[in-house]
Amino acid sequence: MTSSFQAPIGTHDVLAPQSALWEGLIATFAQFAFRYGFTLALTPMFEEIGVFNRGIGENSHVATKEMYVFQDRGERTYALRPEGTASVVRAFVQHQPTIPYKAWYVTPAFRYERPQAGRYRQHHQLGVEVLGTDDPAVDVEVIALAWRFYQALGLTQVRLLINSMGHDECRRRYVDVLRGHLEEYREQLCDEHQMTWAQNPLRVLDCKKDACLAVTNDGPSLPDFLCADCATHFDAVRRGLIDLGIDSTLDPRLVRGFDYYTRTTFEFVAEALGAAQNAIGGGGRYDGLAEQLGGKRTSGIGFGSGIERLLLAREAEGVTSNLINRTIDVFVVDTTGQDVATSIADDLRSQGYAVDRAFDGRSMKSQMKLADRSGARMALLIGPQELEAGQITMRDLRSDDFEQAQQRVAREELLSALRERLNK
Ligand code: HAM
């Protein structure tokens, strides 16, 4: 016998009942995105590698260590998307929709990480991007969307960290001073950053090792380097959040992992989760990204949120609500031998009922077992007797009172009887 296959390391199959939570989460996000005026964007799962190298930065950890890069049969070099933003901005530059362009997406993302709880090689993100305006009100709207969405999921222990990286010039001035500081203390950095601090000094701020933390805690602080315009912009964002009653904490170390970020950056941390996987969402401005990808200079901002992490956070907080009703209404048990289940199910489904049924001519007992397992509220029984009499037996599967639970109705009256029993 040949051995069977398993899902690749760091990936997961999502099947029922867990998949119902995914449906609920995605449907809730789609509803929120619609309420906030976003439209869905679907872009390819892979792009020319340059889209990501230029977008997230050739020297970023994700581009150098984690991207899934491959050559197709035409010898073009592509990469599986490690995140959603670069593709949406590439599509924006290509199609030039009217601005402000507000897009939402749900997508798998691929990163060759060391798999552990909450960190996968294929994870899934819900996200939004807005292109074409640098109004601080947009920053507030994007952050508020995420915040209200988390509230709707039942999460109550979420902290919002916020920072501003300034525009290119503020950032450059800061990076110069930071580089000088790191050079002075380079021997005290962690092993990895002793080698790499000079290439990308900002990455040292992300390092969670004590050695690097000690050096950077005493170093220059980003907000001190903002020019007047960037400081005013950041103040407006923070004031806007206060006006909406959304608490945020300034985190001057928050520079995030991709090179495209400018001005506002933010991260949502689930306090119920461990530090290695507690970022349930993050994002920020990327006012230079469209230009980087060959378009006109266009402001942009967005966020992405990991579906797996959101579900872990709900579990850790003990949230049990289902988000969406995924129990079916009716299970048809057909023992006539003439497959009347097909037409009954078709009728009811056309009327909006969720219906399942058995196949393969199973016995009554076996079909009833399936009906119970399906979670349906009502079983509809049709055997030779019912067929002869033009009737159907309705059995309430949630009732213990046999007399009350069972009722025979004429087939023409099935819909009204069901409506009454199911309150639909
Ligand atoms: P990111 O912070 O790299 O940002 O990812 C967004 C979210 O995806 C994280 O907060 C986390 O919840 C989830 N996530 C990331 N990597 C993994 C992983 N390996 N396993 C499980 N979950 C993960 C971005 O990707 C940006 N594109 C966000 C953005 C949108 N910025 C502007 N617009």
Side-chain angles (χ1 to χ4, degrees):
M1 205 171 81
T2 50
S3 61
S4 58
F5 295 110
Q6 307 256 314
I9 295 167
T11 70
H12 296 277
D13 301 313
V14 182
L15 310 177
Q18 186 70 3
S19 54
L21 282 173
W22 284 62
E23 276 189 81
L25 207 79
I26 294 166
T28 306
F29 191 72
Q31 185 60 33
F32 266 80
F34 172 67
R35 263 190 226 162
Y36 281 72
F38 286 77
T39 54
L40 178 65
L42 301 170
T43 58
M45 211 67 75
F46 58 94
E47 297 273 356
E48 281 181 49
I49 188 168
V51 171
F52 301 117
N53 275 345
R54 276 204 249 159
I56 66 181
E58 225 154 355
N59 293 323
S60 66
H61 181 78
V62 169
T64 52
K65 303 255 172 59
E66 297 184 345
M67 218 141 64
Y68 280 85
V69 179
F70 65 97
Q71 279 210 331
D72 76 356
R73 288 167 195 275
E75 303 200 340
R76 298 171 201 91
T77 306
Y78 289 116
L80 291 184
R81 110 178 357 151
E83 58 100 50
T85 309
S87 306
V88 171
V89 177
R90 193 272 306 140
F92 171 83
V93 169
Q94 182 176 340
H95 303 286
Q96 300 178 25
T98 31
I99 57 169
Y101 174 60
K102 296 168 70 174
W104 75 273
Y105 52 86
V106 49
T107 179
F110 306 88
R111 300 182 189 176
Y112 194 80
E113 306 237 30
R114 205 158 54 83
Q116 50 188 295
R119 196 168 285 278
Y120 311 110
R121 292 191 175 162
Q122 175 174 338
H123 71 277
H124 298 77
Q125 283 191 24
L126 298 163
V128 302
E129 311 293 347
V130 183
L131 283 128
T133 164
D134 67 357
D135 189 331
V138 171
D139 304 42
V140 175
E141 181 171 287
V142 163
I143 294 171
L145 192 169
W147 187 260
R148 304 284 180 228
F149 171 59
Y150 299 149
Q151 285 180 328
L153 299 185
L155 295 173
T156 56
Q157 299 164 39
V158 180
R159 220 150 64 91
L160 165 61
L161 306 177
I162 192 163
N163 194 19
S164 173
M165 317 221 2
H167 75 309
D168 302 347
E169 193 45 44
C170 312
R171 183 176 159 149
R172 200 168 305 130
R173 283 194 305 130
Y174 172 69
V175 170
D176 280 350
V177 177
L178 178 65
R179 188 177 274 119
H181 179 77
L182 296 179
E183 183 162 22
E184 196 176 336
Y185 296 98
R186 63 180 184 274
E187 277 154 23
Q188 294 171 34
L189 296 172
C190 76
D191 292 348
E192 183 190 343
H193 287 120
Q194 284 194 22
M195 315 280 291
T196 58
W197 65 271
Q199 279 157 23
N200 198 341
L202 288 177
R203 293 289 69 78
V204 184
L205 290 180
D206 272 343
C207 184
K208 303 285 184 289
K209 302 218 173 81
D210 288 342
C212 286
L213 282 172
V215 173
T216 49
N217 275 340
D218 285 341
S221 179
L222 236 174
D224 297 338
F225 288 76
L226 298 184
C227 67
D229 277 358
C230 288
T232 306
H233 188 274
F234 191 39
D235 282 347
V237 175
R238 299 206 67 196
R239 253 185 292 114
L241 290 172
I242 292 170
D243 289 348
L244 295 187
I246 298 174
D247 284 337
S248 63
T249 308
L250 175 69
D251 179 358
R253 309 176 61 96
L254 185 72
V255 292
R256 311 231 339 112
F258 302 134
D259 286 359
Y260 54 59
Y261 287 113
T262 54
R263 289 194 163 178
T264 316
T265 51
F266 53 92
E267 214 154 83
F268 298 95
V269 173
E271 311 226 279
L273 293 176
Q277 82 269 19
N278 66 2
I280 53 169
R285 282 209 158 269
Y286 42 82
D287 294 339
L289 180 54
E291 195 174 28
Q292 204 65 35
L293 295 179
K296 285 202 294 263
R297 189 161 177 94
T298 312
S299 305
I301 181 166
F303 76 87
S305 210
I307 296 182
E308 292 85 350
R309 296 222 184 144
L310 289 170
L311 292 173
L312 285 172
R314 273 170 50 97
E315 211 177 296
E317 282 199 29
V319 184
T320 51
S321 66
N322 257 343
L323 301 168
I324 200 169
N325 180 10
R326 274 288 170 262
T327 44
I328 61 167
D329 299 307
V330 166
F331 194 98
V332 185
V333 173
D334 173 4
T335 51
T336 59
Q338 295 181 32
D339 191 23
V340 273
T342 296
S343 68
I344 295 176
D346 187 56
D347 276 356
L348 294 179
R349 287 168 179 154
S350 310
Q351 295 298 319
Y353 289 98
V355 182
D356 205 359
R357 52 160 298 184
F359 295 99
D360 303 320
R362 290 178 182 235
S363 69
M364 166 87 170
K365 195 168 151 204
S366 160
Q367 292 193 47
M368 281 310 295
K369 239 191 218 160
L370 286 179
D372 279 331
R373 208 180 302 152
S374 75
R377 170 79 200 283
M378 197 67 76
L380 297 185
L381 282 55
I382 179 150
Q385 272 186 13
E386 280 95 347
L387 187 61
E388 172 96 34
Q391 292 179 325
I392 288 178
T393 301
M394 294 173 33
R395 185 184 293 175
D396 188 334
L397 295 172
R398 310 267 168 88
S399 168
D400 295 331
D401 180 338
F402 192 76
E403 292 288 301
Q404 285 281 317
Q406 195 135 306
Q407 177 189 0
R408 254 203 198 201
V409 293
R411 181 139 182 207
E412 312 81 71
E413 284 158 21
L414 177 62
L415 268 175
S416 58
L418 258 186
R419 207 169 289 135
E420 206 170 290
R421 296 289 288 247
L422 296 177
N423 287 329
K424 272 203 165 181

